[in-house]
Amino acid sequence: MTVSPQHAAIHRQLQAVGQGHLLAFAEQLSPGQQQAMLSQIASLDLDSLPALSEQYVLRKPEYRVPAALAPAIVHAPGGRIVGLPASSAQPATWDRAAAQRAGEAIIRAGKLAAFVVAGGQGSRLGFEGPKGCFLAGALSGKSLFQLFAENLLGAKDRFGVEVPWYIMTSPLNDAQTRQFFESQSFFGLSKSSVRFLQQGVSPSFDITTGKVLLASKGEVATNPDGHGGAVRALHTSGALQDMQARGIEHISYFQVDNPHARIVDPVFLGLHATPGAHSSGQMSSKVVPKVGPEEKVGVFVLADGRSGVLEYSDMPKALQEAREPDGALRFGAGNIAIHLLSRAFVQRLATDSSFALPWHRAEKKIPCIDPRTGEPISPSTNNGVKLEKFIFDALALCDKSLVLETDRVEEFAPIKNASGSDSPESCKQLQTQRAARWLAAQGVHVPTKPDGSPDCIIEVSPRTATSADELRSASVPRTIERGARVSL
Ligand code: UTP
């Protein structure tokens, strides 16, 4: 077979990095398929493959718990700052009203952007299509994307500014996501305020040989490069430049599967953006107290003096179970993946090589083809390794990083699994529970079941309110009947 100069060059490059097998079936492809495959391979960072395979696939990087490990310093809801060393001269309280004023001024000045990471594969939920299209509203059946759009429309009503919304997709769901927004007329948002950007991919590896897997004879197996891929995607897509041109200084980061995320939160923004003893204004995070030692979430820590998230799987049991004298978990500040980042900090993460985020390894079942025979393989055990970057690794690169504790029901109703905890069902229950709580705070009678849970279904659109305070300006019923279905 005669091969094009491009084909020959890529083949040489592949052989040099030990991945010559990727073109083993090229001659069986049509010219168009061949070209597509060569383009895909050319888009990968081939020179990095030997080191990645060696460091993360053939060897498992060992996590060593830092010698100096302390709980994160947390701004608690009641105005206390918890976790300060006894010797600290810093104030042990914070001022909610001042933070609210500072945050509102930033929002009204148009300096905040919303950013959702929606490039994941959502494999646990098992929903065909982008997760943001999943119908999550407890009564309305509105999609996750619609609920976020209503959150931003509500912010426009309240603060008089359109908060621009950046949506990170992956090559696997980008076209479908854009079509969904078009088909829903952008949910009433102005089209110019919404911008899509695609994250990159990383090759998937064979767990035993360290070679890159083939998804088919004409396609390398890849996976989205993790939510930490947001840093690169925001830079290379031009989104950071676009933000700069619009005067954006802070980015409200949230995940596509949590409809309770309060995207525009003046208090959090005010705390984050006011430089001081606790915040550098670079990256801040919200946490909720862990429900117990076994809850599988990462926790915020200070590791050798630097902020970070210690993953559940890396945490020795003794540390998981350690308690403070008051009985609270010592390492109990659970990560809910809600952050504020300054645009300038993301720019630095993306362009300063000493700020590069590390890779994480995950063992997965990855359908592929046998590189010797070309026969399809549907693995029943983990046969592959995916490499991903995590956004929370940026915390360690901050000068200082603020952590704000919030209430689980108020801001965390994730849809991860098809059933059980963190499922569509639990999310719907949390929507009603939160709404019932907001109404009860106004003296509305909400009927309850013997176990204390609301005996009705209530859905509050995030356009109407994203907090109990915001609901005070809405018109609400004085009482709710048993079994009622109430949309506000
Ligand atoms: P998860 O860790 O829950 O992963 O992502 P996932 O891919 O959505 O779901 P599973 O693990 O396959 O079931 C948390 C958030 O990060 C985004 C997801 O879209 C979700 O909002 N994410 C994850 C990305 O944007 N890109 C990625 O590469 C991975």
Side-chain angles (χ1 to χ4, degrees):
M1 185 185 82
T2 53
V3 296
S4 67
Q6 186 199 13
H7 186 140
I10 288 186
H11 193 235
R12 273 197 304 278
Q13 267 181 292
L14 284 174
Q15 287 201 303
V17 294
Q19 307 288 343
H21 65 287
L22 292 179
L23 286 175
F25 306 102
E27 64 205 48
Q28 298 175 27
L29 304 174
S30 70
Q33 289 169 329
Q34 266 191 28
Q35 194 47 52
M37 187 173 203
L38 292 176
S39 303
Q40 188 201 14
I41 296 173
S43 72
L44 301 173
D45 178 5
L46 298 180
D47 291 338
S48 68
L49 293 179
L52 288 180
S53 172
E54 185 59 34
Q55 276 178 39
Y56 294 97
V57 187
L58 296 176
R59 275 191 285 147
K60 285 189 198 179
E62 261 185 44
Y63 180 80
R64 258 177 295 133
V65 177
L69 188 71
I73 296 167
V74 175
H75 282 51
R80 279 189 319 129
I81 301 175
V82 181
L84 286 170
S87 58
S88 171
Q90 292 165 1
T93 57
W94 63 280
D95 182 344
R96 175 172 289 270
Q100 168 109 20
R101 282 192 300 277
E104 275 195 26
I106 295 168
I107 299 163
R108 289 187 195 281
K111 293 181 178 171
L112 181 71
F115 176 53
V116 66
V117 285
Q121 291 171 296
S123 45
R124 282 169 288 170
L125 180 61
F127 170 66
E128 280 297 316
K131 214 183 201 181
C133 306
F134 186 78
L135 305 180
L139 275 177
S140 62
K142 287 171 189 165
S143 66
L144 288 162
F145 281 136
Q146 178 162 359
L147 295 172
F148 298 132
E150 292 185 7
N151 206 312
L152 295 175
L153 288 165
K156 190 176 173 194
D157 300 338
R158 286 185 275 279
F159 302 106
V161 285
E162 198 164 49
V163 173
W165 187 14
Y166 295 79
I167 298 169
M168 185 171 86
T169 62
S170 81
L172 304 177
N173 66 16
D174 183 74
Q176 277 176 293
T177 304
R178 289 172 196 252
Q179 275 158 18
F180 188 66
F181 273 74
E182 290 286 349
S183 72
Q184 306 286 313
S185 307
F186 285 71
F187 313 102
L189 294 167
S190 68
K191 214 169 157 175
S192 61
S193 73
V194 179
R195 182 172 168 154
F196 300 94
L197 54 131
Q198 257 192 74
Q199 71 177 110
V201 293
S202 156
S204 313
F205 296 84
D206 183 298
I207 200 166
T208 42
T209 64
K211 303 269 186 205
V212 173
L213 292 168
L214 276 166
S216 69
K217 290 179 179 176
E219 189 187 353
V220 177
T222 59
N223 56 269
D225 58 2
H227 39 68
V231 168
R232 186 164 173 270
L234 282 165
H235 176 60
T236 55
S237 66
L240 287 179
Q241 250 185 327
D242 184 63
M243 287 181 189
Q244 188 168 17
R246 291 177 192 244
I248 300 299
E249 287 180 9
H250 300 284
I251 303 171
S252 170
Y253 169 105
F254 59 103
Q255 297 194 333
V256 75
D257 48 28
N258 179 16
H260 277 195
R262 209 172 158 214
I263 307 170
V264 181
D265 178 350
V267 172
F268 184 35
L269 180 58
L271 283 174
H272 158 80
T274 310
H278 298 290
S279 180
S280 59
Q282 291 169 317
M283 181 170 180
S284 303
S285 313
K286 279 189 183 168
V287 296
V288 297
K290 269 181 71 164
V291 283
E294 293 84 26
E295 193 189 4
K296 291 190 169 62
V297 291
V299 292
F300 278 75
V301 295
L302 285 170
D304 299 327
R306 304 213 70 89
S307 297
V309 169
L310 181 51
E311 288 190 78
Y312 178 81
S313 49
D314 288 333
M315 202 162 178
K317 204 161 186 287
L319 290 184
Q320 279 166 19
E321 292 175 348
R323 301 229 175 228
E324 297 292 359
D326 66 0
L329 285 177
R330 178 162 165 75
F331 295 96
N335 180 19
I336 54 170
I338 294 182
H339 306 284
L340 281 161
L341 295 114
S342 82
R343 178 184 49 73
F345 181 59
V346 179
Q347 181 79 43
R348 178 150 185 217
L349 290 173
T351 50
D352 181 340
S353 60
S354 63
F355 268 43
L357 301 182
W359 290 102
H360 293 258
R361 159 203 169 99
E363 298 183 5
K364 299 273 174 184
K365 298 184 192 79
I366 304 178
C368 57
I369 62 163
D370 186 318
R372 286 155 309 193
T373 62
E375 289 302 313
I377 300 175
S378 301
S380 54
T381 54
N382 292 335
N383 65 324
V385 170
K386 273 188 188 180
L387 298 184
E388 293 186 324
K389 293 190 173 189
F390 295 159
I391 195 71
F392 56 70
D393 282 323
L395 291 165
L397 302 165
C398 292
D399 300 326
K400 275 175 284 189
S401 183
L402 182 130
V403 178
L404 173 63
E405 181 185 314
T406 184
D407 180 277
R408 184 178 285 262
V409 174
E410 292 290 319
E411 303 203 46
F412 193 48
I415 298 178
K416 297 279 183 200
N417 306 311
S419 58
S421 63
D422 299 344
S423 67
E425 204 40 52
S426 65
C427 176
K428 285 181 181 165
Q429 281 167 7
L430 284 165
Q431 291 174 45
T432 292
Q433 193 181 337
R434 184 176 77 163
R437 190 193 258 198
W438 292 354
L439 288 167
Q442 290 190 40
V444 176
H445 169 74
V446 182
T448 50
K449 297 180 188 161
D451 67 0
S453 64
D455 193 0
C456 54
I457 304 176
I458 320 171
E459 181 177 339
V460 178
S461 159
R463 182 160 195 175
T464 308
T466 63
S467 68
D469 276 350
E470 288 173 3
L471 192 64
R472 288 182 195 283
S473 38
S475 85
V476 299
R478 290 193 52 79
T479 185
I480 293 176
E481 297 302 321
R482 206 165 279 287
R485 298 157 72 85
V486 180
S487 289
L488 294 167

